[in-house]
């Protein structure tokens, strides 16, 4: 066994924490009660060191990022989630934006010849942007650039599209998959616990529905991510319940790639009175998530939301992925009060950020195939080479 972990465990005065840590070291699964106990009693250095031990056991120093761009078809939304700073209610749709298929294809064409591997399509839920509209968009994107991986639509958007088209979840998913949709992002999960969901987003798909959509995608051989919106009115037990439901589905399907905790940002929304969590609580959450989600290969910090410095810090607390370069205008977080007002980072900047904390930067595609290992490349070389930066 790694001696520094042995020393950490031996120095811990709380017997229950020592027992949980020993399970982690033996690769035994921790229980929901253990998860709650960690949230209630474990210090950041304790869970942080354990999570780093697990991260290095799984991935060594490898830290993944990918080169993608986002398309946000609309910010008009029929739903009214209280934490959302991004959407314009359908009733006020003249204040929002709606992109046409041609405008979205122009965004794709802007990246012609650039070494991006993924397009991430996500936005509000607009009644006119229906299943057929998006199937047609995906077909056109794939016809223009077949090698681009299309990751798109939260379970919330999919649920609405399928219901409007009078298709079952399985039929709707198969239809979009056939059109070229390859994976699902993790949004819309929020917190599954009904009592919390009712207070923060009561009119959209419930937790069971979210899980059913991801299960249907996995059954078609597609992969997906899962998020958890934390740091608002949820309890520690709600966080563990959320992670437990995801862990169980992953046992069944194995279709999740990445778990992405999303810190609630309180700018300009109906929950602005709720104070944001401290950085200590953020890092404790990442660490506990790494310990709990033992069947999720990857843990991602989404830097446009967390901020670059904190995303860099998270690499010592279980995180092994910091999403992508995202060199377009990802509006959802800057509108919710993230310090990242212009969420763009060049590859050289991302690589520098990872190297500064002595980790190994590796570009991946959506499915975590290695595109390029940047650890031996000089930053100047990356900056000068348009294919790398
Ligand atoms: O579901 C909305 C969140 C999500 C706020 O799968 C907020 O690779 C914090 O899921 N404070 C959408 N969060 C974004 C998302 C995502 C992002 C990046 C990568 C991937 C992936 C998925 O944004 C929503 C909601 O949970 N959100 N408002 C807010 N005020
Ligand atoms: Fe609509 Fe998504 Fe915002 Fe909820 S979080 S209001 S579903 S855009």
């Amino acid at each position: 066994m790694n001696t520094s972990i042995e020393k950490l465990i031996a120095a811990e005065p709380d017997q229950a924490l020592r027992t949980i840590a020993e399970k982690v070291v033996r690769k035994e699964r921790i229980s929901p009660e253990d998860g709650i106990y960690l949230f209630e009693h474990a210090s950041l250095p304790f869970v942080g060191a354990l999570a780093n031990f697990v991260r290095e056991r799984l991935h060594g120093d490898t830290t993944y990022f990918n080169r993608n761009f986002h398309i946000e078809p609309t910010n008009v939304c029929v739903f009214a989630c209280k934490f959302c700073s991004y959407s314009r209610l359908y009733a006020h749709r003249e204040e929002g934006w709606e992109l046409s298929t041609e405008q979205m294809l122009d965004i794709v064409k802007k990246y012609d010849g650039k070494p991006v591997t993924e397009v991430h399509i996500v936005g509000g839920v607009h009644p006119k942007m229906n299943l057929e509209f998006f199937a047609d968009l995906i077909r056109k994107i794939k016809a223009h650039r077949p090698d681009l991986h299309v990751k798109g639509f939260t379970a919330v958007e999919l649920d609405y599209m399928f219901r409007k088209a009078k298709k079952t979840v399985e039929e709707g998913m198969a239809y979009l998959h056939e059109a070229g949709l390859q994976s699902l992002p993790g949004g819309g999960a929020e917190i599954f616990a009904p009592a919390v969901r009712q207070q923060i987003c009561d009119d959209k798909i419930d937790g069971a529905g979210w899980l059913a959509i991801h299960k249907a995608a996995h059954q078609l051989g597609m992969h997906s991510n899962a998020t958890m919106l934390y740091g608002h009115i949820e309890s520690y037990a709600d966080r563990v319940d959320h992670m437990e439901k995801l862990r169980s589905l992953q046992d069944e399907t194995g279709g999740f790639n990445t778990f992405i905790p999303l810190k609630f940002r309180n700018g300009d929304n109906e929950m602005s009175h709720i104070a944001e969590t401290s950085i200590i609580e953020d890092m404790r959450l990442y660490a506990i998530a790494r310990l709990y989600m033992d069947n999720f290969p990857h843990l991602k910090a989404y830097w446009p939301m967390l901020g670059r410095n904190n995303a860099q810090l998270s690499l010592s607390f279980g995180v092994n992925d910091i999403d992508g370069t995202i060199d377009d205008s990802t509006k959802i977080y800057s509108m919710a009060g993230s310090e990242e007002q212009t969420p763009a980072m060049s590859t050289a900047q991302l690589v520098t950020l990872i190297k500064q904390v002595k980790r190994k930067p590796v570009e991946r595609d959506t499915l975590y195939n290695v595109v390029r290992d940047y650890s031996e490349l000089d930053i100047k070389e990356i900056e000068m080479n348009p294919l790398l930066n």
Side-chain angles (χ1 to χ4, degrees):
M1 206 208 290
N2 175 315
T3 50
S4 58
I5 276 295
E6 269 173 358
K7 282 189 197 147
L8 173 96
I9 299 174
E12 172 55 54
D14 182 330
Q15 167 68 55
L17 288 178
R18 287 205 303 275
T19 306
I20 297 172
E22 280 156 5
K23 283 191 193 175
V24 170
V25 170
R26 287 198 302 270
K27 299 191 182 173
E28 241 174 71
R29 178 162 277 191
I30 64 172
S31 68
E33 294 70 32
D34 293 337
I36 296 173
Y37 196 87
L38 287 174
F39 274 119
E40 284 174 347
H41 299 282
S43 68
L44 177 60
F46 185 77
V47 279
L50 264 180
N52 193 48
F53 170 76
V54 172
R55 181 249 206 251
E56 290 181 358
R57 186 163 69 189
L58 289 167
H59 305 289
D61 283 330
T62 296
T63 299
Y64 293 103
F65 65 94
N66 78 338
R67 285 203 268 185
N68 64 0
F69 63 98
H70 285 216
I71 296 181
E72 299 177 12
T74 181
N75 69 339
V76 172
C77 191
V78 296
F79 295 117
C81 306
K82 292 207 172 72
F83 52 80
C84 183
S85 324
Y86 159 87
S87 71
R88 285 291 156 265
L89 272 180
Y90 187 64
H92 302 287
R93 55 191 179 280
E94 67 291 344
E95 295 166 15
W97 76 82
E98 292 168 30
L99 301 184
S100 65
T101 304
E102 285 61 42
Q103 285 172 312
M104 290 191 265
L105 286 171
D106 283 344
I107 298 178
V108 175
K109 287 175 190 161
K110 234 176 65 187
Y111 291 89
D112 283 356
K114 294 194 182 167
V116 289
T117 58
E118 174 189 282
V119 54
H120 179 165
I121 309 173
V122 73
V125 177
H126 192 302
K128 286 202 205 115
M129 293 181 170
N130 58 21
L131 185 65
E132 202 41 60
F133 175 84
F134 283 122
D136 174 64
L137 172 71
I138 298 167
R139 283 186 209 110
K140 287 181 171 146
I141 293 175
K142 291 303 278 185
H144 179 72
R145 190 162 173 180
D147 63 311
L148 198 61
H149 185 108
V150 180
K151 175 175 94 178
F153 313 114
T154 64
V156 179
E157 295 165 89
L158 294 170
D159 167 63
Y160 187 86
M161 269 182 235
F162 299 164
R163 281 190 290 119
K164 269 206 108 175
K166 299 202 173 11
K167 290 208 188 287
T168 64
V169 168
E170 289 71 24
E171 288 164 354
M173 196 65 73
Y175 189 70
L176 286 183
H177 185 45
E178 183 82 20
L181 183 67
Q182 289 157 288
S183 7
L184 308 189
E190 323 311 357
I191 281 280
F192 295 143
V196 174
R197 214 170 171 86
Q198 210 173 35
Q199 289 183 66
I200 65 170
C201 55
D202 69 340
D203 54 356
K204 72 183 185 190
I205 189 172
D206 63 9
W210 190 99
L211 290 161
I213 290 207
H214 282 254
K215 184 172 174 172
H218 297 171
Q219 282 169 339
L220 290 167
M222 298 164 74
H223 285 267
S224 73
N225 294 334
T227 57
M228 173 171 76
L229 182 70
Y230 73 91
H232 41 93
I233 58 165
E234 86 290 358
S235 65
Y236 289 151
D238 295 328
R239 292 180 185 179
V240 172
D241 168 75
H242 189 93
M243 293 195 287
E244 177 58 28
K245 291 196 163 73
L246 292 171
R247 196 171 72 170
S248 300
L249 180 56
Q250 178 74 332
D251 278 342
E252 228 180 296
T253 66
F256 287 115
N257 277 334
T258 315
F259 183 52
I260 314 166
L262 295 172
K263 173 192 175 92
F264 165 66
R265 307 304 309 239
N266 68 5
D268 194 25
N269 56 50
E270 283 182 59
M271 287 163 54
S272 294
H273 57 284
I274 297 174
E276 290 181 2
T277 47
S278 68
I279 184 65
I280 306 244
E281 189 58 12
D282 296 333
M283 295 303 132
R284 250 167 41 89
L285 180 124
Y286 279 111
I288 295 170
R290 183 60 285 173
L291 303 180
Y292 202 84
M293 307 299 265
D294 59 354
N295 54 4
F296 271 64
H298 306 286
L299 180 66
K300 175 151 97 181
Y302 186 52
W303 68 262
M305 174 271 282
L306 196 62
R308 308 167 195 220
N309 295 345
N310 295 342
Q312 189 180 42
L313 188 63
S314 74
L315 300 182
S316 301
F317 293 92
V319 168
N320 70 298
D321 186 324
I322 46 173
D323 204 87
T325 41
I326 318 175
D327 63 350
D328 64 333
S329 47
T330 299
K331 301 172 190 76
I332 194 159
Y333 291 109
S334 50
M335 291 171 96
S338 167
E339 33 294 282
E340 300 295 346
Q341 294 301 318
T342 47
M345 251 207 275
S346 67
T347 305
Q349 285 172 311
L350 255 176
V351 166
T352 304
L353 188 143
I354 296 167
K355 282 189 172 180
Q356 274 170 347
V357 286
K358 309 278 180 270
R359 300 290 190 187
K360 183 176 150 190
V362 172
E363 184 188 343
R364 62 162 175 87
D365 66 14
T366 314
L367 302 176
Y368 289 84
N369 299 303
V370 172
V371 176
R372 185 174 282 107
D373 181 345
Y374 280 78
S375 51
E376 301 303 327
L377 285 174
D378 186 66
I379 293 297
K380 284 268 168 306
E381 209 180 312
I382 301 171
E383 278 171 347
M384 305 296 285
N385 187 340
L387 281 180
L388 298 181
N389 204 28

XYZ file of all heavy atoms in Angstrom, residues 66 68 70 81-86 118 120 122 151 154 156 184-191 204 210 214 224-230 258 260 262-269 271 276 300 302 304-305 323 326 330 332-333 335-337 364 368, ligand 1:
509
model
N -10.572 18.466 -23.989
C -10.865 18.238 -25.407
C -11.086 19.553 -26.121
O -11.229 20.602 -25.492
C -12.011 17.251 -25.611
C -13.373 17.850 -25.393
O -13.521 18.854 -24.722
N -14.380 17.231 -25.956
N -13.502 21.411 -28.324
C -14.876 21.365 -28.813
C -15.393 22.779 -29.020
O -14.716 23.758 -28.698
C -15.761 20.598 -27.830
C -15.879 21.273 -26.476
O -15.306 22.338 -26.226
N -16.613 20.672 -25.573
N -19.356 24.979 -28.817
C -20.759 24.850 -28.415
C -21.668 25.518 -29.435
O -21.311 26.549 -29.996
C -20.994 25.549 -27.068
C -20.468 24.794 -25.887
N -21.093 24.777 -24.670
C -19.378 24.017 -25.733
C -20.414 24.029 -23.824
N -19.354 23.563 -24.450
N -36.850 27.167 -14.474
C -36.013 26.734 -13.347
C -35.538 27.974 -12.583
O -35.042 28.923 -13.196
C -34.815 25.944 -13.858
S -35.298 24.570 -14.902
N -35.642 27.911 -11.275
C -35.360 29.116 -10.474
C -33.880 29.483 -10.453
O -33.525 30.616 -10.180
C -35.854 28.886 -9.044
C -37.367 28.808 -8.935
C -37.815 29.233 -7.539
C -39.312 29.366 -7.447
N -40.001 28.061 -7.471
N -33.012 28.507 -10.717
C -31.567 28.779 -10.658
C -31.017 29.275 -11.993
O -29.851 29.590 -12.114
C -30.806 27.500 -10.263
C -31.173 26.330 -11.128
C -30.623 26.175 -12.381
C -32.111 25.403 -10.690
C -31.001 25.121 -13.196
C -32.496 24.345 -11.495
C -31.934 24.201 -12.754
N -31.865 29.337 -13.006
C -31.361 29.582 -14.356
C -31.283 31.075 -14.649
O -32.284 31.781 -14.585
C -32.254 28.885 -15.372
S -31.652 29.063 -17.050
N -30.103 31.536 -15.005
C -29.908 32.958 -15.319
C -29.868 33.165 -16.822
O -29.654 34.260 -17.318
C -28.557 33.428 -14.775
O -28.247 32.816 -13.576
N -30.050 32.095 -17.529
C -29.713 32.070 -18.938
C -30.931 32.209 -19.833
O -30.899 32.892 -20.848
C -29.001 30.738 -19.145
C -28.924 30.168 -20.517
C -27.869 30.539 -21.355
C -29.844 29.222 -20.947
C -27.769 29.968 -22.614
C -29.740 28.658 -22.197
C -28.704 29.038 -23.026
O -28.597 28.468 -24.259
N -15.350 17.796 -31.407
C -16.712 17.642 -30.874
C -17.512 18.934 -31.007
O -16.968 20.018 -30.825
C -16.603 17.286 -29.381
C -17.915 17.237 -28.639
C -17.712 17.103 -27.130
O -17.414 15.986 -26.660
O -17.862 18.123 -26.420
N -20.869 20.484 -29.150
C -21.772 20.278 -28.006
C -22.979 21.204 -28.227
O -22.843 22.419 -28.225
C -21.001 20.630 -26.726
C -21.784 20.511 -25.457
N -21.182 20.484 -24.220
C -23.110 20.415 -25.217
C -22.117 20.379 -23.277
N -23.288 20.335 -23.856
N -26.526 22.516 -26.951
C -27.389 22.553 -25.770
C -28.002 23.939 -25.615
O -27.346 24.938 -25.903
C -26.609 22.115 -24.505
C -25.629 23.169 -24.045
C -27.539 21.746 -23.363
N -22.365 15.707 -29.759
C -22.867 15.468 -28.394
C -23.953 16.508 -28.183
O -23.697 17.701 -28.322
C -21.718 15.674 -27.404
C -22.118 15.568 -25.944
C -20.906 15.663 -25.020
C -20.694 17.089 -24.565
N -19.571 17.264 -23.644
N -29.795 18.040 -23.468
C -30.005 17.512 -22.127
C -31.251 16.634 -22.160
O -32.089 16.750 -23.067
C -30.256 18.651 -21.117
O -31.467 19.316 -21.484
C -29.105 19.631 -21.077
N -33.740 17.044 -20.529
C -34.897 17.943 -20.469
C -35.360 18.286 -21.888
O -36.551 18.207 -22.215
C -34.519 19.241 -19.704
C -35.690 20.197 -19.646
C -34.003 18.914 -18.318
N -24.757 12.060 -25.212
C -25.562 13.061 -24.505
C -24.708 13.771 -23.471
O -23.958 13.119 -22.740
C -26.733 12.422 -23.735
C -27.691 11.478 -24.438
C -28.862 11.171 -23.498
C -28.196 12.063 -25.734
N -24.864 15.093 -23.355
C -24.221 15.798 -22.249
C -24.978 15.508 -20.951
O -26.024 14.870 -20.966
C -24.347 17.263 -22.668
C -25.539 17.326 -23.552
C -25.661 15.972 -24.218
N -24.456 16.023 -19.853
C -25.013 15.604 -18.559
C -26.028 16.533 -17.941
O -26.486 16.297 -16.821
N -26.404 17.598 -18.652
C -27.243 18.634 -18.037
C -28.660 18.194 -17.704
O -29.131 17.142 -18.148
N -29.317 19.017 -16.900
C -30.729 18.793 -16.570
C -30.941 17.877 -15.382
O -32.066 17.702 -14.929
N -29.863 17.299 -14.855
C -30.029 16.349 -13.744
C -30.334 17.098 -12.447
O -31.134 16.637 -11.632
C -28.778 15.495 -13.591
N -29.673 18.232 -12.261
C -29.846 19.088 -11.067
C -29.691 18.249 -9.817
O -28.657 17.695 -9.560
C -31.193 19.837 -11.111
C -31.658 20.319 -12.506
C -30.630 21.069 -13.354
O -29.517 21.305 -12.886
O -30.928 21.401 -14.517
N -30.799 18.089 -9.043
C -30.786 17.194 -7.876
C -32.034 16.341 -8.047
O -33.114 16.864 -8.271
C -30.824 18.011 -6.568
C -29.435 18.585 -6.234
C -31.373 17.217 -5.405
C -28.456 17.617 -5.573
N -40.115 20.636 -14.977
C -39.442 19.840 -16.011
C -39.297 18.378 -15.575
O -39.686 18.004 -14.481
C -38.103 20.451 -16.394
C -36.981 20.332 -15.394
C -35.764 21.078 -15.945
C -34.555 20.925 -15.067
N -33.463 21.814 -15.464
N -35.192 11.546 -16.128
C -33.812 11.854 -16.571
C -33.015 10.556 -16.709
O -32.341 10.319 -17.716
C -33.139 12.792 -15.550
C -31.821 13.355 -16.008
C -31.600 14.584 -16.553
C -30.531 12.701 -15.966
N -30.262 14.733 -16.857
C -29.598 13.604 -16.507
C -30.076 11.458 -15.531
C -28.227 13.300 -16.617
C -28.725 11.146 -15.658
C -27.819 12.053 -16.189
N -31.235 8.582 -20.167
C -29.823 8.171 -20.279
C -29.710 6.659 -20.449
O -28.875 6.170 -21.206
C -29.012 8.701 -19.086
C -28.690 10.153 -19.270
N -27.432 10.617 -19.610
C -29.502 11.247 -19.241
C -27.486 11.935 -19.764
N -28.726 12.342 -19.535
N -22.844 8.877 -22.259
C -23.369 10.159 -21.777
C -22.621 10.582 -20.521
O -21.842 9.819 -19.952
C -24.869 10.038 -21.489
O -25.100 9.284 -20.319
N -22.865 11.822 -20.130
C -22.319 12.364 -18.884
C -23.445 12.597 -17.900
O -24.621 12.584 -18.284
C -21.627 13.709 -19.147
C -20.401 13.547 -20.022
O -19.787 12.483 -20.051
N -20.048 14.603 -20.742
N -23.080 12.840 -16.656
C -24.090 13.147 -15.638
C -23.602 14.334 -14.820
O -22.424 14.405 -14.460
C -24.305 11.945 -14.727
N -24.516 15.260 -14.553
C -24.161 16.416 -13.718
C -24.900 16.353 -12.385
O -25.837 15.569 -12.215
C -24.551 17.745 -14.407
O -25.957 17.715 -14.705
C -23.768 17.968 -15.685
N -24.485 17.219 -11.468
C -25.252 17.437 -10.228
C -25.095 18.913 -9.876
O -23.962 19.392 -9.720
C -24.711 16.569 -9.089
C -25.371 16.885 -7.740
S -24.942 15.703 -6.430
C -23.293 16.230 -6.022
N -26.191 19.622 -9.811
C -26.160 21.031 -9.426
C -26.173 21.078 -7.893
O -27.150 20.652 -7.277
C -27.391 21.743 -9.997
C -27.477 23.244 -9.708
C -26.428 24.022 -10.490
C -28.875 23.781 -10.064
N -25.093 21.589 -7.314
C -24.986 21.547 -5.842
C -24.753 22.957 -5.287
O -24.392 23.880 -6.017
C -23.839 20.617 -5.426
C -22.469 21.221 -5.687
C -21.814 21.978 -4.703
C -21.843 21.067 -6.916
C -20.570 22.551 -4.949
C -20.608 21.634 -7.167
C -19.979 22.381 -6.180
O -18.757 22.967 -6.428
N -18.518 10.418 -17.584
C -17.977 11.454 -16.704
C -19.031 12.005 -15.763
O -20.165 12.263 -16.187
C -17.469 12.642 -17.568
O -16.725 12.120 -18.646
C -16.618 13.606 -16.780
N -19.963 15.294 -13.550
C -19.608 16.725 -13.562
C -20.414 17.460 -12.490
O -21.580 17.824 -12.725
C -19.931 17.367 -14.939
C -19.440 16.482 -16.085
C -19.358 18.777 -15.033
C -20.015 16.861 -17.447
N -21.745 20.597 -10.735
C -21.859 21.997 -11.166
C -22.198 22.849 -9.960
O -23.245 22.669 -9.328
C -22.952 22.139 -12.235
C -22.703 21.438 -13.579
C -23.949 21.508 -14.466
C -21.511 22.040 -14.307
N -21.301 23.778 -9.654
C -21.505 24.656 -8.497
C -22.593 25.680 -8.820
O -22.509 26.359 -9.847
C -20.187 25.381 -8.225
C -20.219 26.465 -7.164
C -18.904 27.260 -7.273
C -18.856 28.450 -6.337
N -18.249 28.113 -5.052
N -23.581 25.796 -7.963
C -24.632 26.793 -8.176
C -24.032 28.199 -8.111
O -23.347 28.545 -7.154
C -25.733 26.642 -7.107
C -26.650 27.833 -7.051
C -27.483 28.140 -8.127
C -26.658 28.681 -5.943
C -28.304 29.270 -8.100
C -27.476 29.800 -5.902
C -28.294 30.091 -6.988
N -24.265 28.967 -9.158
C -23.825 30.368 -9.195
C -25.060 31.248 -9.040
O -26.087 30.996 -9.681
C -23.132 30.689 -10.534
C -21.995 29.769 -10.918
C -20.884 29.664 -9.901
N -20.358 30.913 -9.450
C -19.089 31.288 -9.570
N -18.207 30.505 -10.168
N -18.677 32.445 -9.089
N -24.947 32.275 -8.197
C -26.174 32.976 -7.800
C -26.442 34.300 -8.516
O -27.303 35.061 -8.080
C -26.204 33.149 -6.282
C -25.131 34.106 -5.804
O -24.428 34.713 -6.624
N -24.999 34.238 -4.496
N -25.750 34.567 -9.624
C -25.963 35.843 -10.316
C -27.256 35.872 -11.111
O -27.524 34.971 -11.903
N -28.050 36.898 -10.882
C -29.187 37.206 -11.737
C -30.149 36.034 -11.968
O -30.459 35.684 -13.111
C -28.623 37.713 -13.089
C -29.718 38.371 -13.930
O -30.693 38.848 -13.333
O -29.597 38.363 -15.166
N -30.586 35.410 -10.888
C -31.643 34.391 -11.037
C -32.553 34.447 -9.803
O -32.309 35.247 -8.894
C -31.050 32.993 -11.269
C -30.099 32.571 -10.175
O -30.417 32.651 -8.999
N -28.902 32.142 -10.561
N -32.787 32.591 -7.395
C -32.218 32.041 -6.164
C -30.990 32.849 -5.740
O -30.107 32.359 -5.027
C -31.868 30.549 -6.377
C -33.129 29.684 -6.427
S -32.904 28.040 -7.132
C -31.593 27.375 -6.168
N -23.249 31.490 -2.276
C -22.547 30.407 -2.973
C -21.647 29.639 -2.000
O -21.200 30.185 -0.991
C -21.702 30.988 -4.110
C -22.575 31.515 -5.232
C -21.769 32.075 -6.404
O -20.526 32.029 -6.375
O -22.412 32.552 -7.353
N -15.075 15.472 -13.860
C -14.735 16.699 -14.601
C -15.069 17.961 -13.828
O -16.126 18.065 -13.212
C -15.516 16.679 -15.923
C -15.395 17.924 -16.773
C -15.560 17.592 -18.240
C -16.958 17.838 -18.753
N -17.088 17.485 -20.177
N -15.801 21.756 -14.656
C -16.137 22.562 -15.827
C -15.640 23.981 -15.559
O -16.269 24.749 -14.833
C -17.652 22.512 -16.027
C -18.125 23.181 -17.284
C -17.570 22.857 -18.520
C -19.135 24.134 -17.249
C -18.000 23.474 -19.669
C -19.573 24.752 -18.405
C -18.999 24.413 -19.610
O -19.426 25.033 -20.753
N -15.410 26.939 -17.073
C -16.118 28.208 -17.251
C -17.041 28.516 -16.076
O -17.389 29.663 -15.833
C -16.926 27.992 -18.544
C -16.199 26.923 -19.267
C -15.664 26.024 -18.192
N -17.443 27.476 -15.338
C -18.331 27.678 -14.217
C -17.557 27.835 -12.907
O -17.848 28.690 -12.090
C -19.281 26.472 -14.165
C -20.195 26.394 -13.004
S -19.443 25.532 -11.658
C -19.636 23.879 -12.181
N -12.627 19.605 -19.129
C -13.449 19.951 -20.282
C -12.585 20.464 -21.415
O -11.574 19.862 -21.727
C -14.551 20.945 -19.895
C -15.726 20.877 -20.854
O -16.614 20.036 -20.617
O -15.750 21.629 -21.833
N -13.300 25.403 -25.559
C -14.545 26.174 -25.663
C -14.292 27.603 -26.136
O -14.476 28.559 -25.383
C -15.297 26.218 -24.318
C -15.262 24.855 -23.656
C -16.741 26.670 -24.522
C -15.883 24.855 -22.288
N -19.871 30.802 -24.474
C -20.731 29.923 -23.684
C -21.393 30.793 -22.621
O -20.772 31.201 -21.665
C -19.887 28.807 -23.065
O -19.316 28.091 -24.136
C -20.717 27.877 -22.227
N -24.093 30.484 -20.582
C -24.872 30.076 -19.409
C -24.208 30.478 -18.091
O -24.869 30.907 -17.169
C -25.200 28.575 -19.467
C -26.276 28.198 -18.460
C -23.999 27.686 -19.309
C -26.996 26.899 -18.791
N -22.886 30.385 -18.021
C -22.227 30.667 -16.747
C -21.876 32.115 -16.563
O -21.957 32.641 -15.453
C -21.013 29.768 -16.559
C -21.500 28.384 -16.348
C -21.344 27.405 -17.305
C -22.223 28.078 -15.203
C -21.876 26.155 -17.129
C -22.762 26.833 -15.014
C -22.584 25.877 -15.975
O -23.111 24.646 -15.796
N -23.599 34.439 -17.513
C -24.854 35.078 -17.128
C -25.232 34.745 -15.690
O -26.008 35.457 -15.077
C -25.970 34.657 -18.098
C -25.757 35.239 -19.483
S -26.887 34.553 -20.693
C -28.163 35.772 -20.701
N -24.692 33.671 -15.147
C -25.042 33.274 -13.771
C -24.035 33.807 -12.759
O -24.080 33.470 -11.595
C -25.135 31.763 -13.666
N -23.088 34.632 -13.206
C -22.186 35.284 -12.268
C -20.816 34.660 -12.160
O -20.051 35.003 -11.263
N -8.140 14.619 -25.487
C -8.957 13.420 -25.710
C -10.069 13.752 -26.695
O -10.401 14.928 -26.904
C -9.580 12.966 -24.392
C -10.512 14.036 -23.805
C -11.462 13.493 -22.784
N -12.271 14.522 -22.150
C -13.425 14.978 -22.612
N -13.931 14.533 -23.735
N -14.101 15.914 -21.956
N -12.855 9.643 -24.837
C -11.601 9.504 -24.089
C -10.518 8.721 -24.838
O -9.594 8.194 -24.224
C -11.839 8.949 -22.672
C -12.507 10.006 -21.804
C -13.883 10.173 -21.829
C -11.756 10.871 -21.011
C -14.510 11.171 -21.089
C -12.363 11.870 -20.260
C -13.746 12.009 -20.297
O -14.334 12.998 -19.553
O -28.541 21.521 -16.270
C -27.983 26.377 -14.923
C -26.641 24.219 -14.965
C -26.564 22.853 -16.753
C -26.938 27.433 -13.345
O -21.929 17.000 -20.290
C -26.287 26.225 -13.573
O -19.980 17.683 -20.934
C -24.769 26.710 -11.943
O -24.959 20.383 -18.063
N -25.355 27.875 -11.646
C -26.280 22.799 -18.238
N -25.197 25.862 -12.891
C -24.791 22.677 -18.557
C -24.276 21.261 -18.509
C -22.925 20.905 -19.027
C -21.946 21.873 -19.106
C -20.695 21.496 -19.601
C -20.416 20.226 -20.013
C -21.409 19.270 -19.937
C -21.105 17.901 -20.410
C -22.677 19.599 -19.422
O -26.141 24.104 -16.262
C -27.990 22.794 -16.298
C -27.868 23.326 -14.884
O -27.574 22.282 -13.989
N -26.963 25.594 -14.546
N -27.984 27.524 -14.200
C -26.447 28.284 -12.313
N -27.059 29.427 -11.986
